[in-house]
Amino acid sequence: MALTLREQIDLYPYVIFDMDGTLLNSEIWHHEAWNQMLTEFGMPRLSTAQLYSFGGLPTPEISRRICELNHVQADINAMSKRKTELYTTKYMFNPEPFPEICNLLKELSASGKRIAIATSSHKKESEYLLGKHGILPYVHALITGEQVQRGKPNPDIYLLAAQKLGTPAEQCLVFEDTVVGMAGVKNAHMAAVKVFDGHYDCDHVIPFEEDWSPSQA
């Protein structure tokens, strides 16, 4: 008899979670911050589909791609700084946890699994949100965007998470919500569970050898 998804998850001793869009509904608030910044800079607002396509990328890289999309030259550093400022001062207090995935994290940690969070977000906002929602005590390692030179879809943040957990990559299972994030997991040679809006978006653990696209999930 085939194992259920949860039974497959339980086989992994080390589990890595993305934060924005995986544990917390923070993506919608990042979207608000991006669009306020773009309005201030005189650029068109991002659609939900555009934002999702950028999900998991570092802030400067998103700013660069927005400029390319709009065929404009702008100060990418200034754009990125303003977006981060808007999020941390105005929108960061609004995100709420996704109960199903957050409860799973706590259950896995309580059962003896080693847990890491690998997020492109900044350390300040990550620690605030995870602390506010009672998740930090269950986490053994927190890796944020400042700790790696290359962001997702490069594998660096996942490999650093495995290093912090003291395990090789093949023993890790990663929970991610974006195409960019899933590509990074694949590049790290790790297995994955795709989630969306706080729920499982696949019916089995996806090994890194298996191709994944939104139409398959």
Side-chain angles (χ1 to χ4, degrees):
M1 182 180 296
L3 296 177
T4 66
L5 176 56
R6 178 54 194 271
E7 288 170 336
Q8 293 175 51
I9 291 169
D10 286 336
L11 295 175
Y12 289 83
Y14 302 91
V15 187
I16 301 170
F17 288 85
D18 171 54
M19 185 179 74
D20 296 309
T22 298
L23 292 169
L24 308 173
N25 72 340
S26 43
E27 292 287 12
I28 59 173
W29 302 109
H30 279 289
H31 196 177
E32 292 293 332
W34 277 112
N35 279 337
Q36 182 173 340
M37 180 277 290
L38 290 173
T39 298
E40 293 178 5
F41 277 72
M43 297 186 196
R45 295 165 64 88
L46 285 175
S47 68
T48 300
Q50 288 170 329
L51 183 75
Y52 184 75
S53 72
F54 296 149
L57 292 171
T59 302
E61 177 62 16
I62 296 176
S63 296
R64 185 187 69 78
R65 294 193 184 196
I66 290 172
C67 289
E68 287 185 352
L69 184 67
N70 291 295
H71 306 287
V72 299
Q73 290 186 337
D75 188 332
I76 290 173
N77 289 332
M79 290 173 62
S80 302
K81 181 179 179 181
R82 180 57 177 155
K83 183 272 170 180
T84 299
E85 179 183 54
L86 285 167
Y87 181 74
T88 56
T89 60
K90 185 174 181 180
Y91 299 105
M92 186 176 70
F93 314 101
N94 298 325
E96 294 293 332
F98 289 122
E100 183 175 5
I101 305 302
C102 286
N103 288 339
L104 174 67
L105 180 152
K106 294 175 182 180
E107 290 171 9
L108 293 175
S109 181
S111 70
K113 310 293 186 185
R114 300 280 293 177
I115 307 295
I117 291 177
T119 173
S120 299
S121 290
H122 299 284
K123 181 179 179 182
K124 177 182 176 181
E125 63 195 69
S126 302
E127 289 182 337
Y128 169 77
L129 287 168
L130 295 170
K132 175 184 177 182
H133 296 297
I135 300 170
L136 267 183
Y138 298 90
V139 175
H140 302 94
L142 171 61
I143 299 86
T144 58
E146 302 99 320
Q147 294 177 258
V148 293
Q149 288 189 337
R150 301 187 305 166
K152 303 173 185 180
N154 293 290
D156 303 37
I157 198 165
Y158 307 105
L159 295 176
L160 181 57
Q163 180 183 328
K164 296 291 186 182
L165 291 175
T167 185
E170 58 265 24
Q171 293 191 23
C172 294
L173 177 65
V174 185
F175 283 75
E176 267 286 356
D177 71 305
T178 65
V179 174
V180 169
M182 290 291 287
V185 176
K186 184 179 179 70
N187 290 334
H189 290 191
M190 293 179 178
V193 173
K194 176 69 171 58
V195 299
F196 184 73
D197 278 350
H199 301 287
Y200 298 122
D201 201 23
C202 59
D203 60 7
H204 66 284
V205 167
I206 303 168
F208 81 89
E209 300 97 337
E210 180 178 322
D211 288 333
W212 179 89
S213 69
S215 62
Q216 292 174 307

